[in-house]
Amino acid sequence: MMQIIERYFDGFNAGDVDAMLACLSEDVAHHVNEGQVRTGRAAFGDFCAHMNRCYKETLSDMVILTNPSGTRAAAEYVVNGSYRVTDAGLPEARGQSYRLPAGSFFDVRDGQITRVTTYYNLADWVRQVSS
């Protein structure tokens, strides 16, 4: 089970949305930090396209934990990013760099990720890109 989570994050760090999507179930539930739940692989792909337009991010210092039954996982990491294009409702983008601790939580069924929940401190991010 840890392999599917590692493949998901390898895809993220490579900027390979298709590799990430291949790890997800068709009906994946994507719980976005401070946002609405998106359902389905297509909606997840749309979210990734938006994020890749506005931000350039890689993840470091990754720690992945799984439960004994292989149905749930958690990952803690640092987001190393650049804010490239202004995102609606957020400060103006000027190529600001940021470094932000974050975490993701997963449900896994039949070798595919069925839930992705991501958390980070939005106020910390806003402070970093506003200075």
Side-chain angles (χ1 to χ4, degrees):
M1 192 266 288
M2 183 158 330
Q3 293 82 7
I4 193 74
I5 305 302
E6 290 171 343
R7 282 198 309 270
Y8 172 86
F9 284 122
D10 287 347
F12 183 97
N13 278 337
D16 187 346
V17 174
D18 289 337
M20 294 171 67
L21 294 175
C23 297
L24 306 178
S25 66
E26 187 59 45
D27 63 344
V28 65
H30 182 210
H31 298 251
V32 181
N33 191 71
E34 311 242 358
Q36 301 299 315
V37 176
R38 292 174 172 85
T39 303
R41 197 181 289 150
F44 189 93
D46 292 344
F47 173 81
C48 290
H50 168 80
M51 293 297 289
N52 288 341
R53 187 176 72 255
C54 295
Y55 311 90
K56 172 70 175 157
E57 296 179 332
T58 57
L59 309 178
S60 64
D61 305 308
M62 179 77 57
V63 175
I64 300 172
L65 306 168
T66 61
N67 71 340
S69 66
T71 58
R72 296 176 72 196
E76 183 179 21
Y77 46 86
V78 175
V79 179
N80 306 282
S82 173
Y83 186 30
R84 304 185 313 177
V85 175
T86 301
D87 202 346
L90 296 173
E92 181 181 345
R94 300 179 315 277
Q96 305 94 309
S97 294
Y98 52 92
R99 190 167 159 82
L100 191 67
S104 294
F105 303 90
F106 302 91
D107 286 338
V108 177
R109 181 184 70 239
D110 300 327
Q112 291 189 305
I113 297 169
T114 60
R115 175 184 60 94
V116 179
T117 303
T118 303
Y119 289 105
Y120 56 88
N121 185 326
L122 181 60
D124 183 18
W125 179 85
V126 168
R127 180 191 57 74
Q128 289 185 50
V129 301
S130 296
S131 16

